[in-house]
Amino acid sequence: MRVVNTLSRERARQSKPQHELASAIGRSQAAVSRYEGGVALPDVETLFRWAAALGGRIVIEFPQIDLEDAIARRPASTEAHVQ
C-alpha cells in the first residue's frame, strides 16, 4: 500500500520510533510494525491519525472528468463476459 510506505518513510525521516507513533495513534508497536512490514493493513481512521501524528494529512482527490465525454466512452454494456 503506497500510503503506508509514504507514512513509514516519513516516520523514519523524522527519526520517530515505532512505539512513539503507536502511542500517538492508539495502536500497539507490534501493529505499527505489521503495517509497515505489509503484514496487516491499517483502517482509514488509523491512516488519518498516522498522518496527523507526523504533522501531515491525507488528501483524497478525484480527477476532473467531463461527464458527457465519460458517457460517450462508456461501453454499451457493463456486463462481464467470459469466453
Side-chain angles (χ1 to χ4, degrees):
M1 178 180 257
R2 286 183 6 193
V3 174
V4 172
N5 291 339
T6 300
L7 292 169
S8 180
R9 283 192 310 270
E10 181 59 21
R11 179 193 63 77
R13 190 190 71 74
Q14 292 183 19
S15 300
K16 185 173 222 147
Q18 283 184 343
H19 71 275
E20 283 183 23
L21 174 65
S23 178
I25 66 174
R27 298 290 185 258
S28 68
Q29 183 275 327
V32 171
S33 179
R34 287 192 302 272
Y35 300 151
E36 291 187 346
V39 176
L41 293 175
D43 58 37
V44 172
E45 183 177 339
T46 299
L47 291 172
F48 281 99
R49 287 182 185 172
W50 191 341
L54 297 174
R57 64 191 178 109
I58 294 175
V59 176
I60 300 171
E61 295 180 336
F62 295 96
Q64 297 292 330
I65 60 169
D66 180 313
L67 187 55
E68 290 181 16
D69 185 49
I71 291 170
R73 292 178 189 218
R74 187 177 71 189
S77 172
T78 58
E79 295 178 11
H81 299 282
V82 178
Q83 296 183 10

